[in-house]
Short mmCIF file of all heavy atoms in Angstrom, two decimals:
data_model
loop_
_atom_site.label_atom_id
_atom_site.label_comp_id
_atom_site.label_asym_id
_atom_site.label_seq_id
_atom_site.Cartn_x
_atom_site.Cartn_y
_atom_site.Cartn_z
N GLY A 155 -18.65 15.81 21.56
CA GLY A 155 -18.69 14.36 21.55
C GLY A 155 -18.35 13.76 22.90
O GLY A 155 -19.02 12.85 23.39
N ALA A 156 -17.29 14.28 23.53
CA ALA A 156 -16.88 13.77 24.84
C ALA A 156 -17.95 14.03 25.89
O ALA A 156 -18.26 13.17 26.72
CB ALA A 156 -15.56 14.42 25.26
N ASP A 157 -18.54 15.24 25.85
CA ASP A 157 -19.59 15.57 26.81
C ASP A 157 -20.83 14.71 26.64
O ASP A 157 -21.62 14.56 27.58
CB ASP A 157 -19.96 17.05 26.70
CG ASP A 157 -18.92 17.97 27.32
OD1 ASP A 157 -18.09 17.48 28.11
OD2 ASP A 157 -18.92 19.18 27.01
N ALA A 158 -20.99 14.14 25.45
CA ALA A 158 -22.11 13.23 25.20
C ALA A 158 -21.75 11.79 25.58
O ALA A 158 -22.54 10.87 25.36
CB ALA A 158 -22.54 13.29 23.74
N GLY A 159 -20.54 11.60 26.12
CA GLY A 159 -20.12 10.27 26.55
C GLY A 159 -19.55 9.40 25.46
O GLY A 159 -19.43 8.18 25.64
N LYS A 160 -19.16 10.03 24.33
CA LYS A 160 -18.59 9.26 23.22
C LYS A 160 -17.06 9.33 23.27
O LYS A 160 -16.48 10.36 23.59
CB LYS A 160 -19.07 9.82 21.87
CG LYS A 160 -20.55 10.16 21.79
CD LYS A 160 -21.45 8.97 22.02
CE LYS A 160 -22.92 9.37 21.82
NZ LYS A 160 -23.86 8.26 22.16
N HIS A 161 -16.41 8.22 22.93
CA HIS A 161 -14.97 8.25 22.71
C HIS A 161 -14.69 9.08 21.46
O HIS A 161 -15.56 9.22 20.58
CB HIS A 161 -14.42 6.83 22.55
CG HIS A 161 -14.76 5.93 23.70
ND1 HIS A 161 -14.19 6.06 24.95
CD2 HIS A 161 -15.62 4.88 23.79
CE1 HIS A 161 -14.67 5.12 25.75
NE2 HIS A 161 -15.55 4.41 25.08
N VAL A 162 -13.48 9.62 21.36
CA VAL A 162 -13.19 10.60 20.30
C VAL A 162 -11.93 10.21 19.54
O VAL A 162 -10.88 9.96 20.12
CB VAL A 162 -13.01 12.01 20.89
CG1 VAL A 162 -12.65 13.01 19.80
CG2 VAL A 162 -14.28 12.46 21.62
N VAL A 163 -12.06 10.19 18.20
CA VAL A 163 -10.91 10.13 17.29
C VAL A 163 -10.91 11.46 16.54
O VAL A 163 -11.90 11.80 15.89
CB VAL A 163 -11.03 8.97 16.29
CG1 VAL A 163 -9.88 9.01 15.29
CG2 VAL A 163 -11.06 7.63 17.02
N VAL A 164 -9.81 12.22 16.63
CA VAL A 164 -9.77 13.53 15.99
C VAL A 164 -8.65 13.57 14.97
O VAL A 164 -7.53 13.12 15.23
CB VAL A 164 -9.63 14.66 17.03
CG1 VAL A 164 -8.35 14.52 17.84
CG2 VAL A 164 -9.70 16.03 16.38
N GLU A 165 -8.96 14.05 13.78
CA GLU A 165 -7.96 14.17 12.73
C GLU A 165 -6.86 15.16 13.15
O GLU A 165 -7.04 15.95 14.07
CB GLU A 165 -8.61 14.65 11.42
CG GLU A 165 -8.86 13.54 10.40
CD GLU A 165 -7.59 12.88 9.88
OE1 GLU A 165 -6.51 13.51 9.95
OE2 GLU A 165 -7.68 11.75 9.40
N LYS A 166 -5.74 15.06 12.46
CA LYS A 166 -4.64 15.99 12.72
C LYS A 166 -4.98 17.36 12.13
O LYS A 166 -5.72 17.45 11.16
CB LYS A 166 -3.33 15.46 12.13
CG LYS A 166 -3.36 15.27 10.60
CD LYS A 166 -3.15 16.54 9.80
CE LYS A 166 -3.27 16.31 8.32
NZ LYS A 166 -3.27 17.56 7.53
N PRO A 167 -4.44 18.44 12.70
CA PRO A 167 -3.87 18.51 14.04
C PRO A 167 -4.98 18.42 15.07
O PRO A 167 -6.14 18.68 14.74
CB PRO A 167 -3.21 19.88 14.05
CG PRO A 167 -4.06 20.70 13.12
CD PRO A 167 -4.48 19.75 12.03
N ILE A 168 -4.64 18.07 16.29
CA ILE A 168 -5.67 17.95 17.31
C ILE A 168 -6.48 19.24 17.41
O ILE A 168 -7.70 19.21 17.64
CB ILE A 168 -5.05 17.59 18.68
CG1 ILE A 168 -6.14 17.40 19.75
CG2 ILE A 168 -4.01 18.59 19.11
CD1 ILE A 168 -5.61 16.89 21.07
N ALA A 169 -5.84 20.39 17.22
CA ALA A 169 -6.48 21.70 17.24
C ALA A 169 -5.49 22.70 16.67
O ALA A 169 -4.38 22.31 16.27
CB ALA A 169 -6.88 22.08 18.66
N LEU A 170 -5.89 23.96 16.62
CA LEU A 170 -4.99 24.99 16.11
C LEU A 170 -4.34 25.82 17.22
O LEU A 170 -3.44 26.62 16.94
CB LEU A 170 -5.73 25.92 15.14
CG LEU A 170 -6.22 25.27 13.85
CD1 LEU A 170 -6.86 26.31 12.94
CD2 LEU A 170 -5.10 24.54 13.12
N THR A 171 -4.80 25.63 18.46
CA THR A 171 -4.20 26.32 19.61
C THR A 171 -4.03 25.33 20.74
O THR A 171 -4.76 24.33 20.83
CB THR A 171 -5.06 27.50 20.10
OG1 THR A 171 -6.28 26.98 20.68
CG2 THR A 171 -5.40 28.45 18.96
#
Side-chain angles (χ1 to χ4, degrees):
D157 285 343
K160 316 299 184 185
H161 305 289
V162 178
V163 175
V164 60
E165 259 295 338
K166 61 80 184 171
I168 183 174
L170 295 184
T171 68

